[in-house]
Amino acid sequence: MKRDGNKKSAWQTEEGFENSTINTLDIVYDVLVVGGGITGVSTAYRLQRAGKKCILAEAHNLGFGTTGGTTAHLNNFFDTPYNQVESDFGKENAQLLAYGAQLALDTIKENISENNIDCDFTEHTAYIFSLDDKQDESLQKLVDSSNELGVEMGFINDSPFPIPYKRIASVPGQAQFHPIKYIHGLARAFVTLGGVILENCRVEKTDDGDIITAHTPKGEIRAKNLFYATHIPPGVNLLHFRCAPYRSYAIACTLKDGKYPQALGYDMDDPYHYYRTHRIDGMDHLIAGGEDHKTGDEENTENCFRKLEAYVRKYYQVDKVAYQWSSQYFEPVDGLPYIGNLPGNPDNYYCATGFSGNGMIYGTISSLLISEMIMGATSAYAKLFDPSRIKPVAGFHDFVKEAADVVGHFIGDRFKFEKIDSIGELSPGEGKLVKHDGHQLAVYKDESGKVHGLNAACTHVKCIIAWNSAEKSWDCPCHGSRFDHEGTVITGPARKNLEKLNVQKE
Ligand SMILES: Cc1cc2nc3c(=O)[nH]c(=O)nc-3n(C[C@H](O)[C@H](O)[C@H](O)COP(=O)(O)OP(=O)(O)OC[C@H]3O[C@@H](n4cnc5c(N)ncnc54)[C@H](O)[C@@H]3O)c2cc1C
């Protein structure tokens, strides 16, 4: 199974999806779901089960996006703490969010049992620990607000994690699974119900109408509704200015003393570290994550793995780091995701984005909400997650900060180019922004010594891309578009490849 990065995630030992779908493009579908991560597969399954005729188009393979690089903790609490949601959106909405999380957990369990999906699903208690006084204050607020909303959380005296803490709270009823086994299982159920899956089928553009026509390399797909389950919608949209791209790092390692925690764990650092155990190919592995940063902000992304590993080694007797990988997520400016009608588009276009590090749950909530909207039902969640919402207070400061960051990247990154006399100065495997012969270029020298030159302006809104040395991709710090070393789009929102420049001759 392929993923959108150079590093191998712990889930990539899975084979690709065995697709028995028959390619039928001569009918009008009720729904075209674009994207084969947890959001797309869960929604396509739900709609097909409800009697809608659905087709799912995935640009690469199922699980290629962040779902293939997640750590798959399943929680009824979120990165945005309930106390913050309550103060920004009101208690009623915080309560709705808490119900939604539980509903999503129950839906995942139901999907698994209804379809006998063997995806290593297990339930555990989660532990959240503060490391200093300031974090402890935040933890107290989190515990108080969660309990008020009926999310059970309480301080305890013992920890299954060998990490010193100030105080620790336990949260029963959490879970974990193998994300790829889960989406493959759901995709099989979808196909059995008559759903169609087309892999290697990027939706390149669409024509609006009561019946939308989507243009793909496999032909035109016609559907009454289109749902962009693409993690961030493609093209230029209001939502790109309300979501900021971040990268998080994970390692899966074996332990010398075999003391694997049978629990989910989180500290309250910013960015926080997260832990759990998973049996991969018959062997237990500790999966630890953290070292998050804004996309493009870290010059040496390999270094983030080294820092994460060093941190984990301080507390665990690490034997071997078997897998290490990183992936991208989108942080919404006001702390809640955007799920519903795609702003600035006709009513039959839908989207779901801004999931922070909680996309297993928000992807599942999206499957419930988008299905209800397409089926014409009303949902209490439509208003809370409305992508066109304007919250003058919630997220205003973050909005200004993110907008300033984008402007900073737009202008500042133009001075990042290093002047080099000869492209030969690059080392094999190195990517750099360079000024050469009066041109500003993004250049990468592959292991065979071949130099690949690209126009460094992202094709989305012309921000300057940055080299991600670990995942070997050109990443846009403004809105998260990613390109391979030949300039081909890996993930949107950009739709167009980077312009290739012939540097060999120069
Ligand atoms: C390191 C890391 C750890 C995380 N851990 C957790 C966790 O423990 N728990 C949790 O709940 N969340 C976690 N998250 C967040 C979660 O993994 C994501 O929010 C979630 O996987 C997003 O799923 P998705 O289906 O919306 O998007 P994706 O999985 O990114 O899927 C989108 C798909 O759309 C396809 N696509 C894009 N454009 C097109 C197009 N034009 N045509 C056709 N196909 C297209 C892509 O190829 C891709 O496969 C984590 C995130 C990271 C980065």
Side-chain angles (χ1 to χ4, degrees):
M1 186 216 109
K2 288 193 186 133
R3 197 178 70 80
D4 64 4
N6 178 52
K7 304 272 185 192
K8 193 172 172 182
S9 85
W11 321 120
Q12 286 180 271
T13 53
E14 272 306 288
E15 297 287 316
F17 179 64
E18 252 184 58
N19 196 349
S20 56
T21 295
I22 298 159
N23 183 348
T24 34
L25 295 185
D26 50 354
I27 63 165
V28 175
Y29 287 90
D30 290 318
V31 188
L32 163 60
V33 175
V34 186
I38 188 164
T39 308
V41 173
S42 310
T43 311
Y45 165 72
R46 196 153 192 96
L47 280 162
Q48 188 75 29
R49 181 169 160 269
K52 293 284 174 192
K53 182 83 191 128
C54 300
I55 183 166
L56 185 152
E58 161 56 51
H60 301 271
N61 51 262
L62 299 189
F64 180 84
T66 301
T67 302
T70 187
T71 50
H73 296 228
L74 308 174
N75 303 115
N76 62 1
F77 55 91
F78 297 94
D79 290 1
T80 306
Y82 283 121
N83 49 298
Q84 192 184 323
V85 177
E86 193 175 329
S87 82
D88 289 346
F89 293 85
K91 185 155 187 185
E92 223 173 274
N93 283 322
Q95 185 66 74
L96 205 54
L97 185 67
Y99 287 149
Q102 195 53 51
L103 190 61
L105 272 170
D106 294 343
T107 302
I108 290 171
K109 277 200 238 176
E110 199 180 282
N111 286 345
I112 291 171
S113 70
E114 254 184 34
N115 300 293
N116 289 319
I117 302 175
D118 179 7
C119 61
D120 313 340
F121 177 88
T122 47
E123 291 182 88
H124 299 278
T125 297
Y127 297 84
I128 309 175
F129 36 98
S130 55
L131 305 176
D132 59 33
D133 288 345
K134 195 162 167 262
Q135 292 181 18
D136 199 52
E137 247 177 67
S138 307
L139 183 57
Q140 182 71 58
K141 282 186 192 155
L142 174 66
V143 168
D144 291 345
S145 60
S146 302
N147 282 325
E148 268 183 42
L149 300 173
V151 177
E152 202 183 328
M153 228 181 250
F155 287 104
I156 51 155
N157 292 321
D158 208 8
S159 165
F161 297 93
I163 300 159
Y165 57 87
K166 192 154 172 62
R167 270 201 302 174
I168 185 160
S170 72
V171 202
Q174 311 303 296
Q176 60 178 52
F177 62 13
H178 187 304
I180 299 303
K181 287 184 183 175
Y182 175 70
I183 64 164
H184 280 181
L186 263 195
R188 272 191 296 274
F190 169 64
V191 171
T192 306
L193 289 167
V196 176
I197 294 180
L198 298 182
E199 292 184 296
N200 300 307
C201 184
R202 178 178 290 280
V203 169
E204 288 159 348
K205 65 173 189 135
T206 60
D207 300 328
D208 304 342
D210 289 344
I211 294 174
I212 298 166
T213 303
H215 299 265
T216 81
K218 299 211 164 170
E220 289 177 359
I221 302 175
R222 287 173 303 139
K224 293 176 191 158
N225 299 281
L226 185 150
F227 173 35
Y228 280 123
T230 48
H231 208 185
I232 187 92
V236 180
N237 191 275
L238 171 73
L239 294 179
H240 301 134
F241 303 92
R242 295 198 172 158
C243 291
Y246 280 76
R247 181 152 288 270
S248 190
Y249 295 77
I251 59 173
C253 51
T254 51
L255 301 178
K256 287 181 192 149
D257 58 6
K259 288 188 180 160
Y260 295 93
Q262 296 310 316
L264 307 172
Y266 315 84
D267 66 25
M268 295 203 66
D269 260 345
D270 185 15
Y272 65 93
H273 297 94
Y274 43 102
Y275 307 89
R276 75 174 182 92
T277 298
H278 203 99
R279 210 165 171 76
I280 304 155
D281 283 344
M283 273 171 81
D284 275 342
H285 287 75
L286 170 74
I287 298 181
E291 296 302 328
D292 305 20
H293 60 77
K294 273 198 84 172
T295 295
D297 269 8
E298 193 62 52
E299 270 198 18
N300 183 348
T301 47
E302 283 287 356
N303 218 11
C304 298
F305 288 112
R306 285 196 280 274
K307 281 195 267 179
L308 178 60
E309 185 180 334
Y311 189 84
V312 174
R313 280 186 186 276
K314 272 204 319 209
Y315 304 110
Y316 282 99
Q317 292 190 33
V318 173
D319 184 19
K320 190 177 155 227
V321 177
Y323 303 90
Q324 54 176 14
W325 71 97
S326 70
S327 196
Q328 184 166 269
Y329 63 93
F330 291 90
E331 204 57 69
V333 78
D334 64 10
L336 290 185
Y338 302 100
I339 309 167
N341 288 115
L342 181 64
N345 282 261
D347 284 353
N348 53 354
Y349 281 81
Y350 300 84
C351 67
T353 189
F355 290 170
S356 308
N358 308 116
M360 301 293 106
I361 295 301
Y362 280 139
T364 307
I365 290 180
S366 303
S367 75
L368 301 171
L369 175 52
I370 297 293
S371 304
E372 280 179 12
M373 290 180 81
I374 289 177
M375 307 282 289
T378 49
S379 166
Y381 292 95
K383 196 159 168 245
L384 181 60
F385 298 132
D386 182 0
S388 299
R389 68 179 177 263
I390 300 166
K391 281 262 128 197
V393 180
F396 181 71
H397 291 104
D398 289 340
F399 179 74
V400 173
K401 189 182 158 297
E402 295 302 347
D405 264 9
V406 167
V407 174
H409 278 296
F410 194 78
I411 298 168
D413 290 354
R414 280 162 166 72
F415 299 101
K416 271 192 177 168
F417 292 82
E418 201 171 297
K419 189 165 175 351
I420 61 171
D421 294 326
S422 158
I423 296 286
E425 285 175 34
L426 285 173
S427 314
E430 192 181 7
K432 241 186 192 164
L433 295 173
V434 300
K435 244 190 200 160
H436 179 66
D437 223 11
H439 300 287
Q440 293 188 323
L441 311 172
V443 287
Y444 170 70
K445 187 186 258 184
D446 68 24
E447 300 300 336
S448 72
K450 186 171 174 210
V451 178
H452 304 262
L454 300 165
N455 184 335
C458 177
T459 54
H460 181 229
V461 289
K462 305 286 175 215
C463 285
I464 298 298
I465 52 175
W467 180 241
N468 180 340
S469 54
E471 300 293 356
K472 300 253 181 283
S473 58
W474 290 105
D475 298 353
C476 180
C478 293
H479 308 108
S481 300
R482 298 181 56 232
F483 306 86
D484 72 12
H485 68 263
E486 296 199 313
T488 308
V489 174
I490 305 174
T491 54
R495 289 185 195 263
K496 275 189 175 165
N497 296 339
L498 295 171
E499 183 194 355
K500 281 189 188 181
L501 300 171
N502 189 350
V503 289
Q504 295 285 30
K505 268 193 195 156
E506 287 177 54

